[in-house]
Structure formats: C-alpha cells, structure tokens
C-alpha cells in the first residue's frame, strides 16, 4: 500500500522529512478496524512528532492522527462497525498513523462520519473535536458554575484548529458567553463567524482586553497555544476558584501565580484514553458520534479551510509547513491517494 513516512526526524525543508513509500497492508486483530483512508488532516502533533521521534529500529515511521474513510475489514472482537461503514477518527499516538492507504484503529475511538460532509470536511474534525469536548466537559466541567464568576469562557487561540471547533462547541453546547482571541482581521472575522460572542486581540494584554468587555472575571479559560506567553495575564483575569485548561506544551510557567485564587489547572490530551486503554476509552467513539449528529443537524460545521490532493509527501510537506508556521486558520486537509511523485 502507498504511505508517507520518514526514517530520521528532520525539518520539513529536508528532502527526507517525509517520503513516499510502499508498506505491507496491515491486518486487523482484536477490536481493530482496517480503514481505507480517504482524507487526512494535519495537526501540531504531526510536526512535533516528525521533528523529534525516530522510528523503532530501521523501519519507517508513519504519522498522522486524523482520518475519514471506509471500513475495509474488522478484527475478530470488533462489534460496532462492518465493512463498508463510513467513519472518522483521530487514532492513537502509540500506533502507526493515518498517512497511509490503509490504517488500523481501535473501533472504540471511532465515530460514524457525518453524512452532511465529504471526506475532507469530515477529516478536519476528529482530533480537534475530541480535544475541545474533553477539555470542556471532562476537565473544566463547564456545566458546574464557579461561584461569583462571570458565566463565560475565554478561548485563547480561537482561529486555530482546536480553537475553531472549541468556539462552536462552547456556543452550541453551553450557556456560556464565549470570548475568543485572534489577532488578524481575517482570523477575527473567522472566529466571529463560528459564533464567538466577543473577539479580543491576543497581541495585547489579555486582562485589559477582557476587562474592557465589562462582563466580570470569566469562570473558565481554555488555552490552545502560547500559554507561556499569556499565563500571567490569565492568572490576572480569571475568576477566583476558576478553572484553567491548556493543551499546548509550554516550556514552563509559574503555577504559583494561581494559588491565591485557588484556580484549578487541567491538562487535556486527547490521546490519554487510547494510550492507557482507560476503562472509559469508548467515550471517544460516543463523543465523535455526538459530533457527527450535531454536524448533520447543522449545529456544528467543518473547520476545513485548505484542501490539497492527493495524499503524498509533497502535499503533506506543504501542509506541515503551513501548520508549523503558526498562521493557519482552521484545518488543512489532504484527500485521496494518487500517483506517487
């Protein structure tokens, strides 16, 4: 089968950073689905792994953690899907990735593809939807009010991949006032179109930007990017006993900034459930089915903004470079396997 991989971690400008290769078609076991991949999207985790993680032994490493496709075969313990079913999912970081014609994934973390979306539109959603949903409802517990706080959530980085779906979920699935950050006119308009009540500029001091809204101190803050840059402002603006969740990898920040306000700090990593095979791992499949339903009901929309074809090393390099630049709006998706080049 066709795939894209690498043997040595490298900058995306390196010819060997991503290479068109041929690999054996995998065979499903246990709860596995063998999925014929129709489209994949690129997330920051893709370039972080590509830059830092070598393959085991002399093998090729295939990355990619978002896909939409058709179930081709199922393992002996799989009961949720059958060959021919159309699915979307984000996979597990501990297994080979989705940048291949056929991919193995545990059925418990797979959802049914929204009928209203094409392959590329669907592939834009899984990883970011799981991340935002878990952050809001499993980590921040946004349905539990913070006494005295403004019923509001600040989403730092509202125009990125996670931010773009987080704004929608917060608006559609909670009663919170949604404040999102964006610094350029095009990203500000994008975030407004997704349903944010207020858009503020994260190139300016966030505490002053939030105070100017005259809403009061928000109960919740969800930081998707540059947490180390904004942490002092977040500690200043968040309500006492508020809840703060981050998903990025700051080199470090002073947790003691939050002690006086007794703010709880939460990390969200959507790979945690599949990495550890947690007893509630199947929540991700149910979550994605819920997202699919909301899309088909017109309550959520795809965050796809850039579409490339076919799935090959050249197009994946282009997508990696764009996401790595930090200027991407929404999601970059690559669809369809074509001739290798």
């Amino acid at each position: 089968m066709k795939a894209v991989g690498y043997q040595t971690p490298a900058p995306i400008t390196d010819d060997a950073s991503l290479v068109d290769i041929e690999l054996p078609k995998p065979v499903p076991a246990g709860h596995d689905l063998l999925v014929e991949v129709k489209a994949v999207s690129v997330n920051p985790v893709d370039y972080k792994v590509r830059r830092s993680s070598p393959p085991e032994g002399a093998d090729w490493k295939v990355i990619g953690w978002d896909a939409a496709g058709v179930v081709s075969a199922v393992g002996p313990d799989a009961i949720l899907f059958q060959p021919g079913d159309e699915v979307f999912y984000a996979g597990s970081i501990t297994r080979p990735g989705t940048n291949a014609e056929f991919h193995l994934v545990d059925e418990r973390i797979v959802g049914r593809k929204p009928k209203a979306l094409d392959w590329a539109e669907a592939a834009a959603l899984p990883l970011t939807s799981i991340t935002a949903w878990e952050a809001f409802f499993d980590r921040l517990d946004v349905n539990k009010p913070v006494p005295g706080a403004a019923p509001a959530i600040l989403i730092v980085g509202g125009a990125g991949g996670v931010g773009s779906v987080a704004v929608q979920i917060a608006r559609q699935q909670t009663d919170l006032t949604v404040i999102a950050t964006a610094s350029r006119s095009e990203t500000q308009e994008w975030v407004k179109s997704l349903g944010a009540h207020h858009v503020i500029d994260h190139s300016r001091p966030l505490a002053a930007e939030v105070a100017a809204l005259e809403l009061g101190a928000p109960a919740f803050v969800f930081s998707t990017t540059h947490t180390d840059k904004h942490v002092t402002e977040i500690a200043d603006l968040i309500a006492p006993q508020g809840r703060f969740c981050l998903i990025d990898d700051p080199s470090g920040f002073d947790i003691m900034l939050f002690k006086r306000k007794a703010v709880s700090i939460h990390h969200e990593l959507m790979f945690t459930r599949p990495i550890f095979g947690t007893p509630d791992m199947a929540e991700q499949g149910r979550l994605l089915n819920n997202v699919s339903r909301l899309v088909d009901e017109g309550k959520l929309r795809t965050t796809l903004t850039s579409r490339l074809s076919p799935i090959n090393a050249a197009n994946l390099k282009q997508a990696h470079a764009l996401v790595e630049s930090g200027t991407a709006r929404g999601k970059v998706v690559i669809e369809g396997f074509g001739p290798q080049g």
Side-chain angles (χ1 to χ4, degrees):
M1 67 173 182
K2 296 175 183 176
V4 177
Y6 66 89
Q7 291 185 307
T8 303
I12 199 61
T13 52
D14 192 308
D15 287 344
S17 62
L18 292 171
V19 180
D20 292 311
I21 58 176
E22 288 279 344
L23 293 175
K25 184 177 177 180
V27 177
H31 288 278
D32 283 343
L33 306 178
L34 178 66
V35 177
E36 182 183 357
V37 175
K38 299 293 188 181
V40 299
S41 73
V42 173
N43 296 279
V45 65
D46 295 52
Y47 70 73
K48 291 175 183 178
V49 171
R50 190 208 75 240
R51 294 189 307 196
S52 63
S53 299
E56 296 181 5
D59 294 335
W60 292 92
K61 188 173 184 72
V62 176
I63 58 175
W65 290 280
D66 258 335
V70 179
V71 176
S72 177
V74 302
D77 299 326
I79 58 172
L80 301 176
F81 297 93
Q82 298 178 345
D85 287 345
E86 297 183 352
V87 296
F88 73 148
Y89 58 91
S92 170
I93 200 167
T94 60
R95 303 188 71 176
T98 58
N99 294 339
E101 278 188 289
F102 291 90
H103 180 250
L104 292 178
V105 61
D106 190 302
E107 66 170 354
R108 291 169 289 186
I109 59 173
V110 173
R112 297 189 178 275
K113 171 187 163 293
K115 294 181 175 64
L117 301 183
D118 65 24
W119 297 114
E121 292 167 336
L125 288 174
L127 186 147
T128 55
S129 296
I130 296 170
T131 299
W133 199 283
E134 290 184 348
F136 292 162
F137 303 111
D138 295 328
R139 315 294 173 236
L140 291 173
D141 196 8
V142 295
N143 289 323
K144 179 183 177 182
V146 173
I153 186 165
L154 172 65
I155 300 171
V156 180
V162 173
S164 292
V165 73
V167 168
Q168 296 184 73
I169 292 173
R171 181 63 189 265
Q172 292 293 330
Q173 298 298 297
T174 79
D175 294 325
L176 298 171
T177 297
V178 182
I179 310 163
T181 79
S183 61
R184 309 191 311 270
S185 59
E186 63 268 29
T187 53
Q188 290 171 349
E189 287 304 314
W190 168 251
V191 172
K192 288 177 185 176
S193 76
L194 296 171
H197 293 95
H198 304 280
V199 182
I200 62 176
D201 186 347
H202 53 232
S203 70
R204 301 173 181 171
L206 288 180
E209 291 278 290
V210 170
L213 299 176
E214 299 184 343
L215 300 171
F220 311 105
V221 175
F222 179 41
S223 182
T224 71
T225 186
H226 298 302
T227 298
D228 48 356
K229 177 180 177 181
H230 300 298
V231 66
T232 302
E233 293 289 322
I234 291 169
D236 188 14
L237 67 88
I238 196 169
Q241 302 187 92
R243 300 193 280 276
F244 169 39
C245 182
L246 64 152
I247 65 169
D248 59 338
D249 305 301
S251 56
F253 66 84
D254 185 2
I255 196 172
M256 296 306 292
L257 292 168
F258 297 91
K259 181 176 181 179
R260 189 165 180 264
K261 287 184 174 178
V263 168
S264 60
I265 299 173
H266 306 262
H267 287 89
E268 161 57 23
L269 180 68
M270 57 77 52
F271 292 122
T272 296
R273 281 166 160 154
I275 286 172
F276 294 99
T278 59
D280 64 348
M281 190 168 90
E283 285 299 316
Q284 290 198 341
R286 286 190 281 270
L287 186 165
L288 285 173
N289 283 333
N290 200 25
V291 168
S292 183
R293 175 183 60 80
L294 291 169
V295 170
D296 286 338
E297 290 175 354
K299 296 177 180 177
L300 295 179
R301 75 190 217 207
T302 184
T303 55
L304 180 152
T305 55
S306 181
R307 187 190 297 250
L308 302 171
S309 181
I311 302 170
N312 61 17
N315 282 328
L316 279 164
K317 284 180 180 180
Q318 184 178 339
H320 274 237
L322 178 57
V323 175
E324 206 164 345
S325 73
T327 62
R329 175 176 58 88
K331 292 298 294 293
V332 184
V333 179
I334 307 95
E335 59 185 329
F337 278 88
Q340 294 192 18

